[in-house]
Amino acid sequence: MATPLSADKFLSVLKGAGLGVVEHGKWRTHNRNTHGNWGPANGVMIHHTGSYSSEKDMVELYRTGYHDLPGPLCHGVIDRSGTVHLVGYGRCNHAGMGDTDVLLAVIAEKTSLPRNNEADTDGNRHFYGFECINTGSQPWPVAQLDAMARAAAAICRAHGWNEHSVIGHKEWRPGKPDPGGIDMDAFRARVARHLRDGSKPKPDPKPKPAPKPRPKPEPTPKYAAYPGRQFFRVGRSSPVISAVAKRLIAEGCDSYDTPPGQVWNDAHRRSYAAYQIKRGHHGADADGIPGPETWADLRVPHQAGAPEPNPTTPNQEHDSMPQALADIAERTVATYLQSLLGLMVAASTTDMVSLSAWQAAAVSAIPAALSALKSTLGTALGRPGTASWLP
């Protein structure tokens, strides 16, 4: 047996269980205490309302009652969304007369109730009552069932009761069907879970942080980048050169005597010169060495797996002329200058006609030797301008 909770405590335990609560009128003092005792409190009773026109009208009906049965007709009305509407507090006309043996089993919190076959005890003084909006044959919304069990568990916890202090109206008074469609043993098990879990709703689990997106790989370029003029020298080998040849042939600029390979040679240069002329270039602009403008126009496909050559300026490009040849060129120039100076000295002291024939031949052969050396260097290295600085 227990002293009923105060109205403020009753409100507090419901809100503490995470329930949505709406207070109607002066519910704290709206009761039937002048028509009988309220207490000792022994349990919680669950009802259904029966047929209804609207939930709002049903809440008002259970607050005011009707001619044959004045309100309040319960302590709280639980609507189908799970909201608890407080309409009265104290003695309420909800339980009526019921079976004494059932009351004793509730007080003892027995796991099974006796059959209710008598109506000899006033239940309005002993039970908190919740009317739940349902015709008796409707499906029970999950939110409403949860609120019903949560409210019952909150009151049981406040009094130190367990789930066996909760009964249905149909277990109390013979002939009553409510709450329809609810197995009360299963409902008490739901109340027990709330008692174990603390009744408060568990917070939604924090969402797992979204995995960081993996950086997208750089898209493969469609066309090969321009490698620079210095890339195209005789003997250079690269899949890019094969791709150039295919594009030149596709453009109708085919000066190849044999199937082109990936080594740059004169046939590649002639074919590219033909393409430069086709694009409107002439003279020095059609020398067969790709430039950035015609390269962009040719659209050479990117070669997957082939390293992209880095464009270089001439002073960055490694000069392939052997140092020994450079030394020969320098010495030749020095010899030429020495001979020239010697002739000038000789001319000041000797008549040129007095020079021997072999001396004259040697002097006249010097320019021819230099010209031959210049041509040889350029041809050997595949760079016609290599020795262009020689006189």
Side-chain angles (χ1 to χ4, degrees):
M1 293 186 183
T3 301
L5 303 173
S6 68
D8 288 339
K9 180 65 174 178
F10 180 72
L11 174 63
S12 175
V13 298
L14 293 178
K15 287 186 175 181
L19 292 162
V21 179
V22 177
E23 302 175 64
H24 292 264
K26 298 180 180 180
W27 67 272
R28 287 176 172 82
T29 57
H30 182 44
N31 53 57
R32 301 289 294 168
N33 289 358
T34 58
H35 293 73
N37 293 332
W38 166 230
N42 300 113
V44 181
M45 188 173 292
I46 304 297
H47 308 258
H48 75 240
T49 57
S51 59
Y52 60 96
S53 57
S54 73
E55 292 187 89
K56 180 179 178 181
D57 290 343
M58 190 58 69
V59 170
E60 183 60 19
L61 172 63
Y62 276 83
R63 188 181 74 84
T64 60
Y66 44 90
H67 184 267
D68 294 334
L69 191 63
L73 304 184
C74 63
H75 297 91
V77 179
I78 301 178
D79 67 23
R80 295 179 68 76
S81 71
T83 300
V84 181
H85 299 264
L86 299 183
V87 296
Y89 197 70
R91 181 183 175 92
C92 300
N93 284 330
H94 71 96
M97 302 299 288
D99 197 306
T100 301
D101 294 333
V102 173
L103 176 62
L104 294 175
V106 170
I107 293 171
E109 295 185 324
K110 292 185 176 180
T111 57
S112 60
L113 297 174
R115 182 172 175 271
N116 56 352
N117 54 13
E118 294 181 313
D120 56 357
T121 297
D122 176 17
N124 291 333
R125 67 179 293 187
H126 295 289
F127 290 96
Y128 297 92
F130 288 99
E131 288 283 352
C132 309
I133 297 179
N134 189 290
T135 62
S137 58
Q138 289 176 290
W140 289 90
V142 172
Q144 187 180 24
L145 277 174
D146 183 70
M148 292 158 59
R150 210 176 275 281
I155 295 172
C156 288
R157 183 179 294 103
H159 282 293
W161 301 334
N162 67 26
E163 70 275 15
H164 297 292
S165 292
V166 181
I167 64 172
H169 195 198
K170 60 188 176 184
E171 296 176 300
W172 168 247
R173 183 180 176 90
K176 289 293 182 180
D178 56 315
I182 292 181
D183 181 321
M184 289 306 299
D185 287 331
F187 184 80
R188 280 184 280 269
R190 185 188 289 263
V191 172
R193 286 195 295 274
H194 284 300
L195 287 170
R196 288 194 302 270
D197 297 341
S199 189
K200 288 188 178 181
K202 293 181 179 179
D204 294 334
K206 292 183 179 179
K208 293 182 179 179
K212 293 182 179 179
R214 293 182 178 178
K216 293 182 179 179
E218 291 292 331
T220 301
K222 189 174 181 180
Y223 301 116
Y226 176 58
R229 286 183 61 86
Q230 301 305 317
F231 177 80
F232 298 98
R233 58 177 175 79
V234 173
R236 167 78 75 177
S237 177
S238 171
V240 175
I241 294 173
S242 296
V244 170
K246 290 180 181 179
R247 287 292 299 126
L248 291 172
I249 293 170
E251 290 287 335
C253 301
D254 183 359
S255 295
Y256 297 103
D257 299 325
T258 59
Q262 67 177 22
V263 178
W264 185 260
N265 56 26
D266 197 51
H268 287 298
R269 185 187 59 76
R270 290 196 307 269
S271 298
Y272 204 93
Y275 179 70
Q276 289 170 324
I277 293 170
K278 180 180 178 181
R279 301 300 299 175
H281 300 279
H282 300 282
D285 292 334
D287 60 357
I289 302 300
E293 181 182 344
T294 54
W295 182 270
D297 293 339
L298 189 59
R299 301 195 302 276
V300 178
H302 175 77
Q303 303 302 300
E308 285 290 340
N310 293 322
T312 57
T313 57
N315 62 345
Q316 292 174 318
E317 179 75 15
H318 175 65
D319 194 341
S320 60
M321 183 171 67
Q323 186 63 40
L325 293 179
D327 291 343
I328 292 173
E330 291 174 2
R331 291 173 184 178
T332 302
V333 172
T335 302
Y336 177 76
L337 291 175
Q338 289 173 0
S339 299
L340 179 61
L341 290 172
L343 286 173
M344 292 174 65
V345 171
S348 64
T349 59
T350 308
D351 186 354
M352 287 293 292
V353 177
S354 66
L355 292 175
S356 65
W358 68 267
Q359 289 176 324
V363 170
S364 63
I366 291 174
L370 289 174
S371 177
L373 176 61
K374 171 181 176 180
S375 176
T376 301
L377 287 174
T379 302
L381 298 177
R383 293 168 59 188
T386 297
S388 61
W389 46 269
L390 290 175

